[in-house]
Amino acid sequence: MKSVRVFAPASVANVGCGYDILGFAVHCPGDEVEMSINGSEKVSLDLIEGDEGRLPMDPLKNTVSAVVINYLEHIGLKKGIAIKLFKKMPFGSGLGSSSASAVAGLVAINELMGNPLTRLQLLPFAMEGERLACGNAHADNVAPALLGGMVLIRSYKPLDVISLPVPGELSCALVYPHVEIPTMAARQIIRTNIPMSNAIIQWGNVGGLVAGLFKNDYDLIGRSMEDVIVEPVRKMLIPHFDEMKKLALEQNALGFGISGSGPTVFALCRDVSTAEKVTRALESELKQYGIGSTCYVSKINPAGAQVITRQLQENG
Ligand code: HSE
């Protein structure tokens, strides 16, 4: 039997100032998908583990199977595909959970088909998965989960995606307070018109962040992460956001912000040990308020989704 198992990582979308246009992949957590070819000519979702029964089992409604169906239609092949999804990260957490599943599914089907499409060519399919999951086809989670590293979506129409360099030691502290914020709801509260004065600050910061990455200038990266458009609105959904931010910066984080649509918060740090200090401080702060949290520390993941095992012989 031809089968593969693929890991796709969580990702931090927006990176502060870059709403919908910047994101990076981390090493953990991430989702896994196991996929095999059978003789049925149908795409089936045989198992979802770790979702507490919350995700749809209908192949047309579940992100991972829906993107596989679109992919097969696009390449013009009718194949029987059995999918098993292993959810290893929380929903509505701001960690790019649905993106990781869709990306793992796409990398798996592409591998089974002999990799006819490049990772970049898989991106539009993954973006359609985002539309299904939250109503909007943004790329700032799926692009880094697919391509790895830090990614800039310079334009959506036409799609123009640029991989950015990342200083070797740059590390990320992620703290997920145990409350759930659906992306769709977190998008609906954002103002669609912004004052020119805020736009000027924001595009200065996006430029500064990109320049900081190219120059290996940690301080420039940190001060450019400031988000004057989305964070002031969304932080109200996140318990003790301002205290966490103050604490993270006191622990020498370069910058602090909301990961994607939250409630996970992230801090970029000069190295892993600073990121560990930051997570410990935030975890114990939340604990004082009786809020549980899950923490991750990771460097930026340069590879994105990866095939973990493959068995590509029909007679296996
Ligand atoms: N850029 C998107 C948002 C990411 O902030 O809504 C969602 O994970």
Side-chain angles (χ1 to χ4, degrees):
M1 186 172 48
K2 266 188 169 183
S3 68
V4 285
R5 188 168 175 125
V6 172
F7 165 86
S11 47
V12 174
N14 304 335
V15 200
C17 56
Y19 180 67
D20 277 0
I21 62 151
L22 280 171
F24 63 85
V26 291
H27 287 284
C28 62
D31 283 349
E32 290 176 19
V33 164
E34 213 173 87
M35 201 176 280
S36 53
I37 303 184
N38 58 37
S40 73
E41 295 205 348
K42 273 208 314 232
V43 173
S44 66
L45 196 50
D46 292 355
L47 171 81
I48 306 179
E49 203 180 270
D51 73 325
E52 292 160 2
R54 292 177 56 185
L55 291 176
M57 291 301 290
D58 177 345
L60 290 169
K61 292 193 179 134
N62 188 290
T63 318
V64 63
S65 40
V67 297
V68 169
I69 291 169
N70 278 345
Y71 170 98
L72 287 171
E73 270 172 22
H74 173 84
I75 63 164
L77 282 178
K78 249 192 159 59
K79 288 274 179 192
I81 300 291
I83 303 173
K84 292 179 182 166
L85 170 61
F86 302 90
K87 287 299 302 174
K88 295 180 184 247
M89 65 171 109
F91 301 111
S93 60
L95 289 163
S97 167
S98 54
S99 311
S101 300
V103 164
L106 283 165
V107 170
I109 188 68
N110 200 40
E111 181 77 17
L112 284 177
M113 297 299 116
N115 288 311
L117 301 189
T118 63
R119 290 276 172 115
L120 202 54
Q121 287 169 329
L122 293 178
L123 182 57
F125 298 96
M127 289 167 65
E128 284 310 310
E130 287 293 68
R131 195 193 303 283
L132 186 64
C134 77
N136 188 75
H138 50 272
D140 49 345
N141 286 114
V142 283
L146 258 176
L147 306 172
M150 176 89 70
V151 180
L152 167 72
I153 298 102
R154 193 213 48 92
S155 152
Y156 276 88
K157 282 182 189 163
L159 194 56
D160 187 0
V161 175
I162 299 155
S163 288
L164 300 171
V166 176
E169 291 307 309
L170 192 68
S171 301
C172 176
L174 285 165
V175 177
Y176 160 53
H178 294 165
V179 294
E180 193 172 323
I181 301 179
T183 297
M184 203 182 282
R187 293 184 75 83
Q188 280 162 355
I189 61 169
I190 295 169
R191 291 184 201 101
T192 47
N193 289 310
I194 56 171
M196 179 62 90
S197 54
N198 277 350
I200 291 168
I201 297 172
Q202 200 86 356
W203 58 54
N205 280 332
V206 172
L209 181 48
V210 172
L213 292 167
F214 272 93
K215 287 160 63 102
N216 285 327
D217 184 334
Y218 287 97
D219 293 325
L220 178 57
I221 292 169
R223 68 178 182 271
S224 302
M225 279 170 55
E226 185 195 13
D227 167 17
V228 295
I229 294 172
V230 177
E231 180 182 296
V233 184
R234 279 190 174 164
K235 71 177 186 178
M236 291 181 269
L237 302 173
I238 300 171
H240 310 288
F241 180 86
D242 287 330
E243 285 129 286
M244 287 197 283
K245 184 169 191 165
K246 185 164 170 280
L247 210 50
L249 297 175
E250 278 168 10
Q251 297 293 325
N252 294 325
L254 298 166
F256 178 90
I258 303 169
S259 174
S261 52
T264 296
V265 291
F266 79 104
L268 283 180
C269 302
R270 247 168 232 282
D271 48 40
V272 166
S273 69
T274 310
E276 282 166 349
K277 263 198 300 179
V278 170
T279 54
R280 278 197 297 273
L282 300 189
E283 188 181 25
S284 62
E285 175 79 0
L286 286 171
K287 206 170 169 188
Q288 279 184 32
Y289 292 104
I291 301 169
S293 60
T294 309
C295 302
Y296 309 92
V297 169
S298 171
K299 285 196 178 179
I300 313 305
N301 174 349
Q306 273 182 311
V307 176
I308 312 169
T309 55
R310 56 165 75 75
Q311 187 179 352
L312 296 179
Q313 299 301 317
E314 295 281 9
N315 59 353

